[in-house]
Amino acid sequence: MLETIWFLLWGLIWGIYFMLDGFDFGLGILLPFIARSDKERRVIYNAMGPFWDGNEVWLITAGGVTFAAFPTTYAVMFSTLYTPLLMILFALIIRAASFEFRSKIAGLSWKSFWDACLFIGSLAPALLFGVAFANIFRGIPFDNNYVFQGNLLTLLNPYGLLGGVLFIALFLVHGSIWLAIKSDGNLQLKAKTAASSIWIFLLVVSVVFLGCTWFATPLYKNYLGNPILFILPLITVLALLATRLFIFQNSFWKAWTASSLTILTAVLFGIVGLFPNMYPSSIDSTLSLTAFNSSSSPLTLKIMLGVVLVMVPIVIAYQTWAYHLFSGKIDEAMLSSKESY
Amino acid sequence: MDPVFLSRLQFAVATLFHFIFVPLTLGLSILVAIMETRYVRTGNSEYKKMTKFWGHMFLINFVVGVVTGITLEFQFGTNWARYSKYVGDIFGSILAIEATVAFFLESTFVAVWFFGWNKLKPGTHAICMWLVAIASNLSAFWIIAANAWMQHPVGYEIRGGRAELTDFLAVITQSYAITNYLHTIFAGYVVAGFFVMGVSAYHLLKKNEISFFTKSFRIALVFSLIFSISEVFMGDIIGKEVAKLQPEKLAAVESQWETQKGADFSLLLIPDEKHERNSVELFNIPNFLSFLAKGDWNAEIRGLKSWPPADRPPVTAVFASFRIMVGLGFLFILLTIIGWFKRNRLESSPIYLRIMLYSIPLPYIATLLGWIVTEVGRQPWIVYGVLKTVDASSPLAGSQVAVSLGAFIILYSGLGAIAIWLMARHAKHGPETV
């Protein structure tokens, strides 16, 4: 029971991470295509400014609870995904640096350099996280010594890449909507156009992904065994449709909420389908790591459950306060202040 | 290439680099919070100017600390999979608590503080900086508690081929966790104090913004004086604990080869690891080592030779790092005491100011050497007495780790160079009018 609760919490924390940092990734990827002037670029940076760091801590927490609650999964997952994981971390480093360093020097080439870093630092994690999760759904080729039988290209198989493209599309829509919330005038219009056109692409990718999932993974087994669970992907579909409707109505906060729900439930759809597996082996299914054979001792799970049940609501409360505090549009006054990116 | 050696090297690079930025965060967050509190209390805009100037420096430094911390957390899994599996039940949970209890607070409020100058009342804004300061210092506690468990594992039992938690409170309240925590944050306070004094000295030498930098210098001076003295006391307490809990580390720290009652302390000593002796031992203080380590002039000190060579830590690196660290620690006390007497005529003490300017790197060096003593001195164990480092690595190919190590070095050098350049540029430029 404790293991099951932890499995769901684990999925939930990853879901919250992608829901929050997802709009940062989307905006970073969108930046070179949508911003035509330094002012527009700065609107995008400052739209993420007060949030990206707090969002990224959800990744640290996701990593931390994997370590704490499922140490064997943590050990095997992180060591077998060595190269892509380090690439993600390096990308996150240059992304953070571009936020903090870009505004410190006025030169044009300095700024373009950091714009390129932001782009790569957003695109690479979005793609690689998608690739990684899609591959986990399929199963990872690791043997009984927990050695990964393959290389980076093994992971870049069609289904894996499709997962990557799905993540990018989800985040692009999410980020465009966030920009529509935080900007006005021409930039807001561009953001809205981007959100609604990428949404169509997202819809196509989602349908293809769900179809391929049927053939490439055993993910639907849990749903067929327990049809009530189909409510989860149903919410995803409804939230995705609602996103489009709200964009059309210029209700960007509602659209962003719907898009958040889409990402959160899409991640949970995968996680619930995976259960009880956390890190299945495609070489021999008896080697697969599950919530039950890779978990910590009951005492640790109980203590950590207490910590998480107390602390996470507190974290959500003050992060919500921070989002509320900086919910306004990025205006001239903000951009001309020294306390901005 | 040996993947274990490369992984150790990679971890050393990543940790030491991370710990160039962390100590300044620990101390400067408090100094900036003190400055802002004075601004709120007095309404004197010079303190606001001070808060912004030092706060700007804090933020550049902060972000590098943050991003290099993430790679550390993930490296336990990527490069030390067998370690993670073996101790995750205890070690992993402490790291996870750090993220939920401290790191969220720090990262959320540092952004609120930076972007919130015009959105919050001055008092509330100052509270945000205090939250950042408290959270970063709280975060350090969990990290050091986790490390203390590697030095002296408690509250666990080996079950089913791994260490399982039996007593959580024992893990986080053991004296090693507390003393090493205080030693670490005090080191951070000295780093920050010397940093602020050094930058202020630069401007005082140029007769630039004298009132502003005299005030900054004095705040940092009081801070450094208190904590450089406390730091040496903490060091003494930890030395005695090491003597009790990790005797081979103590033997390496002092390069003591023979087991001896009433062991002497040599002021000048050069270890000769190959021949298991010291090639130079000069200026002996009789029985002083026994007194330092055990508080008893005739106590027995176990020598390195009483352990098989495979169970001894590398002596020269640990010994030299320790000696230099301690020497620097006393130098910091000396420099801050001199500063105390010169505090009212700083501008007319150019030689002292120049020394303080060039002393900025010294506390950093002392801190990094401290980590070398702690970590190298624990070898060959990764968890003292429980798990050896060679048994803790991931099943990776050497080439894989070699490539990532190269990437770490290139990326971190670039990142470090840019951050230090930006900070130096801002430091030289001086405060903006507010």
Side-chain angles (χ1 to χ4, degrees):
Chain A
M1 190 60 197
L2 264 177
E3 288 88 348
T4 310
I5 293 172
W6 263 108
F7 180 88
L8 289 173
L9 276 175
W10 175 76
L12 188 66
I13 289 172
W14 277 106
I16 294 177
Y17 169 63
F18 290 126
M19 175 184 106
L20 292 178
D21 221 5
F23 75 78
D24 298 325
F25 290 142
L27 277 178
I29 302 168
L30 206 59
L31 179 100
F33 305 105
I34 201 165
R36 287 279 162 263
S37 64
D38 187 53
K39 197 189 140 195
E40 289 186 345
R41 284 184 205 105
R42 286 191 60 211
V43 171
I44 294 180
Y45 275 92
N46 284 289
M48 298 181 268
F51 312 112
W52 70 269
D53 193 4
N55 294 345
E56 202 172 282
V57 182
W58 285 96
L59 173 65
I60 300 170
T61 307
V65 302
T66 316
F67 198 174
F70 304 104
T72 310
T73 295
Y74 170 82
V76 178
M77 184 188 280
F78 285 27
S79 58
T80 47
L81 298 177
Y82 189 83
T83 306
L85 195 60
L86 285 177
M87 287 167 81
I88 288 174
L89 296 179
F90 291 152
L92 291 176
I93 288 176
I94 63 170
R95 180 180 78 135
S98 61
F99 280 118
E100 218 53 53
F101 295 165
R102 183 186 189 271
S103 60
K104 298 286 184 277
I105 306 281
L108 198 69
S109 49
W110 173 265
K111 292 191 165 182
S112 330
F113 172 73
W114 291 113
D115 292 341
C117 285
L118 181 77
F119 176 72
I120 298 166
S122 306
L123 180 66
L127 176 75
L128 291 173
F129 272 127
V131 169
F133 272 90
N135 273 288
I136 292 170
F137 297 158
R138 273 177 92 222
I140 302 278
F142 66 85
D143 63 19
N144 54 354
N145 292 315
Y146 300 127
V147 176
F148 180 61
Q149 299 294 334
N151 53 39
L152 189 59
L153 292 176
T154 321
L155 299 173
L156 298 177
N157 52 67
Y159 183 72
L161 283 170
L162 189 61
V165 172
L166 176 68
F167 264 41
I168 292 172
L170 278 168
F171 297 159
L172 277 171
V173 170
H174 203 41
S176 314
I177 301 170
W178 185 252
L179 183 59
I181 291 175
K182 298 294 285 182
S183 62
D184 48 20
N186 192 33
L187 189 59
Q188 187 184 40
L189 202 66
K190 283 197 278 186
K192 183 189 168 178
T193 315
S196 36
S197 40
I198 300 168
W199 183 89
I200 297 168
F201 176 67
L202 171 61
L203 184 70
V204 175
V205 178
S206 304
V207 171
V208 175
F209 184 82
L210 286 175
C212 292
T213 299
W214 182 272
F215 299 102
T217 77
L219 233 51
Y220 284 102
K221 230 169 76 186
N222 283 345
Y223 292 90
L224 295 172
N226 256 320
I228 182 85
L229 289 176
F230 272 109
I231 201 158
L232 195 59
L234 188 68
I235 296 174
T236 314
V237 172
L238 290 177
L240 185 61
L241 295 173
T243 306
R244 169 72 182 188
L245 178 73
F246 291 133
I247 294 171
F248 187 68
Q249 292 177 342
N250 291 333
S251 309
F252 298 120
W253 275 107
K254 285 184 189 163
W256 187 73
T257 311
S259 165
S260 298
L261 192 63
T262 311
I263 295 176
L264 187 65
T265 54
V267 173
L268 286 176
F269 164 70
I271 301 285
V272 168
L274 202 58
F275 185 81
N277 281 325
M278 300 191 81
Y279 201 63
S281 166
S282 60
I283 290 179
D284 177 355
S285 64
T286 61
L287 299 172
S288 295
L289 298 172
T290 70
F292 302 98
N293 70 11
S294 78
S295 70
S296 280
S297 65
L299 179 64
T300 294
L301 291 179
K302 272 182 219 155
I303 291 173
M304 288 309 299
L305 191 62
V307 170
V308 165
L309 290 183
V310 172
M311 289 315 298
V312 168
I314 295 176
V315 170
I316 291 175
Y318 62 66
Q319 286 205 336
T320 308
W321 173 77
Y323 268 79
H324 180 73
L325 187 68
F326 298 108
S327 59
K329 290 189 185 298
I330 308 297
D331 52 18
E332 287 294 339
M334 159 115 201
L335 289 179
S336 56
S337 139
K338 286 222 179 314
E339 275 79 34
S340 65
Y341 283 147
Chain B
M1 290 272 249
D2 173 23
V4 180
F5 175 73
L6 290 170
S7 289
R8 285 184 64 190
L9 207 55
Q10 180 171 304
F11 204 85
V13 167
T15 322
L16 291 178
F17 185 83
H18 178 61
F19 223 78
I20 294 173
F21 298 90
V22 169
L24 188 63
T25 298
L26 293 174
L28 198 53
S29 57
I30 296 179
L31 286 173
V32 172
I34 291 173
M35 291 165 184
E36 190 169 4
T37 308
R38 289 206 178 172
Y39 163 62
V40 173
R41 286 247 172 101
T42 63
N44 180 348
S45 68
E46 190 161 50
Y47 283 117
K48 184 177 184 183
K49 198 160 110 179
M50 218 179 264
T51 308
K52 289 207 173 185
F53 174 71
W54 297 108
H56 186 105
M57 215 93 84
F58 169 79
L59 289 166
I60 299 174
N61 173 75
F62 179 81
V63 73
V64 186
V66 168
V67 292
T68 54
I70 304 178
T71 53
L72 282 185
E73 189 208 29
F74 283 64
Q75 262 190 93
F76 292 111
T78 54
N79 293 68
W80 303 99
R82 287 185 291 167
Y83 167 79
S84 302
K85 221 162 57 174
Y86 197 82
V87 305
D89 203 64
I90 300 150
F91 190 89
S93 51
I94 302 177
L95 290 195
I97 293 174
E98 187 267 341
T100 49
V101 172
F103 201 47
F104 267 123
L105 198 64
E106 193 178 354
S107 297
T108 307
F109 282 94
V110 82
V112 172
W113 185 81
F114 176 64
F115 288 95
W117 277 98
N118 301 319
K119 292 197 182 281
L120 296 169
K121 282 186 232 142
T124 317
H125 192 261
I127 289 173
C128 290
M129 195 65 214
W130 278 112
L131 285 175
V132 173
I134 292 166
S136 28
N137 281 275
L138 190 63
S139 156
F141 172 74
W142 295 102
I143 301 302
I144 299 299
N147 182 265
W149 190 84
M150 297 167 79
Q151 309 290 343
H152 182 239
V154 291
Y156 73 102
E157 233 172 62
I158 305 290
R159 276 188 223 130
R162 67 173 184 181
E164 289 193 356
L165 186 66
T166 55
D167 186 350
F168 179 70
L169 279 182
V171 174
I172 61 165
T173 58
Q174 68 156 322
S175 77
Y176 233 28
I178 315 283
T179 52
N180 279 296
Y181 169 62
L182 293 176
H183 194 61
T184 307
I185 56 171
F186 292 172
Y189 301 164
V190 176
V191 166
F194 272 69
F195 180 84
V196 171
M197 287 193 287
V199 173
S200 302
Y202 171 84
H203 287 281
L204 290 174
L205 280 166
K206 298 203 148 188
K207 309 279 178 215
N208 185 18
E209 298 264 5
I210 295 213
S211 153
F212 179 97
F213 284 110
T214 305
K215 280 200 179 79
S216 300
F217 193 107
R218 283 198 203 145
I219 293 175
L221 176 68
V222 175
F223 199 64
S224 310
L225 182 63
I226 296 171
F227 290 109
S228 55
I229 294 172
S230 317
E231 182 68 342
V232 169
F233 276 101
M234 275 330 294
D236 178 57
I237 294 171
I238 292 172
K240 291 189 167 61
E241 284 181 332
V242 169
K244 206 162 62 189
L245 305 175
Q246 294 178 290
E248 54 270 64
K249 186 190 271 185
L250 181 90
V253 154
E254 301 295 356
S255 191
Q256 178 75 19
W257 294 96
E258 310 291 342
T259 303
Q260 236 180 328
K261 278 190 178 163
D264 297 353
F265 181 86
S266 309
L267 284 175
L268 185 68
L269 186 154
I270 298 174
D272 176 3
E273 285 191 61
K274 214 168 132 196
H275 299 101
E276 303 191 331
R277 64 187 174 92
N278 298 322
S279 51
V280 177
E281 279 181 17
L282 287 173
F283 312 114
N284 283 10
I285 308 177
N287 295 33
F288 192 48
L289 177 55
S290 287
F291 178 72
L292 276 179
K294 309 251 167 143
D296 168 3
W297 297 92
N298 291 312
E300 183 181 271
I301 301 294
R302 216 175 137 184
L304 285 158
K305 282 189 187 171
S306 65
W307 287 276
D311 285 352
R312 299 175 198 161
V315 178
T316 312
V318 174
F319 167 80
S321 302
F322 180 76
R323 283 283 164 114
I324 300 170
M325 175 186 76
V326 171
L328 287 170
F330 281 104
L331 178 67
F332 302 149
I333 296 181
L334 181 70
L335 288 174
T336 45
I337 289 178
I338 295 174
W340 181 255
F341 288 109
K342 290 186 180 290
R343 70 189 184 280
N344 292 322
R345 47 187 169 94
L346 285 168
E347 323 89 271
S348 54
S349 317
I351 297 173
Y352 176 69
L353 289 176
R354 193 153 285 129
I355 291 173
M356 290 313 285
L357 170 60
Y358 292 112
S359 295
I360 292 177
L362 298 181
Y364 285 99
I365 294 171
T367 314
L368 297 181
L369 291 174
W371 275 113
I372 292 174
V373 174
T374 294
E375 295 299 288
V376 179
R378 191 191 56 234
Q379 302 303 325
W381 302 98
I382 192 164
V383 180
Y384 181 72
V386 175
L387 185 68
K388 290 231 163 122
T389 308
V390 286
D391 300 323
S393 62
S394 300
L396 296 168
S399 57
Q400 234 177 332
V401 190
V403 170
S404 63
L405 174 62
F408 262 105
I409 291 172
I410 293 168
L411 182 66
Y412 278 19
S413 311
L415 188 69
I418 293 168
I420 290 168
W421 176 69
L422 282 173
M423 283 170 76
R425 191 170 172 276
H426 180 72
K428 281 188 194 165
H429 182 269
E432 310 261 350
T433 38
V434 286

